[in-house]
Amino acid sequence: MKVTPKKHLGQHFLRDLTASKRIADLLSGHRNYRTVLEIGPGMGVLTQYILPKAQYQTYVIEIDGESVEYLKTHFPALDGRIIEGDFLKMDLDTLPIAGSKPEDPLAIIGNFPYNISSQIFFKILENPARVPEVICMLQKEVAKRIASPPGNKEYGILSVLLQAYYDIEYVFSVAPGAFNPPPKVNSGVIRLRLNDANGLGCDDKMFFKVVKAGFNQRRKTLRNALKILTLPDAITDNPLLEKRAEQLNVAQFVELTNYWS
Ligand code: SAH
């Protein structure tokens, strides 16, 4: 029995076992998490290399009933640790994880469904302190964008928001032929580890607003792009306003955000 790939669920099953093991081996235990949550295990190609890591308690969350049946049959070790449902609808704080408290750290890993990878990250950004490490495969361009430094076209909202909390590494690329069925795009693996900043140094919600407003009109100067937030008087002489969003690093966005508080 095999799971029939379903396009609308972004199912591209990894066939390349070397790549699969390499992804699992990126789990580093950063900040001593004990629980690992895999998003979208499918037929368990990645899961099989996570489960033997006895230092972690592995949970999986999968939306596809057929995949869940497959996992139940082939991975008895996952007994009681398969969460059937939509990751985007889950509350990270109330996941049915035995013995876990809402504040217990949790690593997230997966060969993400590419169509929802940005939404997965926005979900993680609701509570990054809870998630000390994220290891994932996604569309290569998106992976590159997330890891991109300021000063170029690739740098965008998710780059800034994620780089504010995480140190990010682009680790390796995977060609379409490594999957069944092959996706139309190339894939990339990244690792995000919670940085040592211990908070942004500004109001998080306002920071998100400033970053989003800046990039929503990314060709304009920030003076124009940020107008919709009503510029505080004190900010008007700040030379950062003459720049465009893609030219600012995290610290500079924090500096601007602080004008609103
Ligand atoms: N990890 C497997 C499958 C990757 S394909 C492998 O590498 O082969 C992406 C997987 O995510 C599929 O199994 C799909 O059913 C699942 N998925 C898609 N949307 C999801 C969602 N919203 N929540 C949880 N799982 C989802």
Side-chain angles (χ1 to χ4, degrees), residues 9-14 38-43 45-46 61-64 67 85-88 111-113 116:
L9 294 179
Q11 289 186 338
H12 296 276
F13 298 116
L14 191 56
E38 184 189 353
I39 300 177
M43 285 187 280
V45 180
L46 182 55
I61 179 162
E62 173 57 64
I63 198 169
D64 173 37
S67 295
D86 181 345
F87 174 76
L88 298 178
N111 169 14
F112 286 176
I116 59 163

Side-chain angles (χ1 to χ4, degrees), residues 25 52 63 98 108 120 151 154 161 174 200 230 235 242:
D25 286 345
I63 198 169
I108 287 182
I120 292 175
E154 293 181 334
L161 298 183
V174 181
L200 291 184
T230 316
I235 204 177
E242 306 316 320

Side-chain angles (χ1 to χ4, degrees), residues 12-245:
H12 296 276
F13 298 116
L14 191 56
R15 293 191 306 153
D16 179 342
L17 299 184
T18 310
S20 181
K21 180 169 189 311
R22 227 176 134 188
I23 296 171
D25 286 345
L26 288 170
L27 287 166
S28 74
H30 182 60
R31 304 266 182 97
N32 302 318
Y33 57 79
R34 301 264 299 118
T35 305
V36 173
L37 177 66
E38 184 189 353
I39 300 177
M43 285 187 280
V45 180
L46 182 55
T47 325
Q48 67 185 325
Y49 295 109
I50 306 172
L51 281 172
K53 298 181 187 293
Q55 65 272 43
Y56 308 125
Q57 223 191 355
T58 306
Y59 281 76
V60 300
I61 179 162
E62 173 57 64
I63 198 169
D64 173 37
E66 196 187 353
S67 295
V68 168
E69 284 315 308
Y70 183 97
L71 293 165
K72 283 187 177 159
T73 314
H74 292 83
F75 292 91
L78 280 176
D79 189 31
R81 296 184 184 180
I82 302 177
I83 304 167
E84 184 170 355
D86 181 345
F87 174 76
L88 298 178
K89 298 211 173 106
M90 295 284 156
D91 180 350
L92 277 187
D93 289 346
T94 54
L95 284 173
I97 293 178
S100 110
K101 298 183 283 305
E103 63 275 18
D104 285 346
L106 180 76
I108 287 182
I109 189 166
N111 169 14
F112 286 176
Y114 295 0
N115 48 337
I116 59 163
S117 56
S118 296
Q119 292 168 72
I120 292 175
F121 280 114
F122 281 111
K123 181 103 200 149
I124 293 169
L125 282 166
E126 289 172 11
N127 192 358
R130 176 88 202 279
V131 187
E133 185 161 72
V134 183
I135 292 155
C136 61
M137 179 143 66
L138 60 175
Q139 182 176 345
K140 182 175 179 177
E141 283 166 30
V142 180
K144 286 272 181 199
R145 197 182 309 151
I146 287 172
S148 159
N152 64 57
K153 287 204 299 291
E154 293 181 334
Y155 187 68
I157 294 178
L158 266 185
S159 335
V160 183
L161 298 183
L162 289 168
Q163 288 171 27
Y165 300 95
Y166 293 99
D167 296 323
I168 304 177
E169 309 154 68
Y170 184 92
V171 193
F172 66 101
S173 306
V174 181
F179 301 86
N180 174 41
K184 291 208 177 70
V185 295
N186 284 308
S187 302
V189 175
I190 51 176
R191 173 163 65 184
L192 299 83
R193 285 191 274 193
L194 203 63
N195 63 29
D196 294 327
N198 196 17
L200 291 184
C202 67
D203 179 74
D204 294 52
K205 288 218 173 75
M206 196 63 212
F207 179 79
F208 280 45
K209 281 189 193 166
V210 170
V211 173
K212 281 183 184 166
F215 281 100
N216 277 342
Q217 295 180 285
R218 61 182 297 150
R219 263 177 262 174
K220 294 194 174 173
T221 62
L222 288 164
R223 184 181 299 284
N224 288 317
L226 297 184
K227 263 189 188 142
I228 69 160
L229 299 175
T230 316
L231 293 177
D233 289 340
I235 204 177
T236 51
D237 292 335
N238 193 310
L240 289 178
L241 289 182
E242 306 316 320
K243 295 185 182 283
R244 285 174 288 126

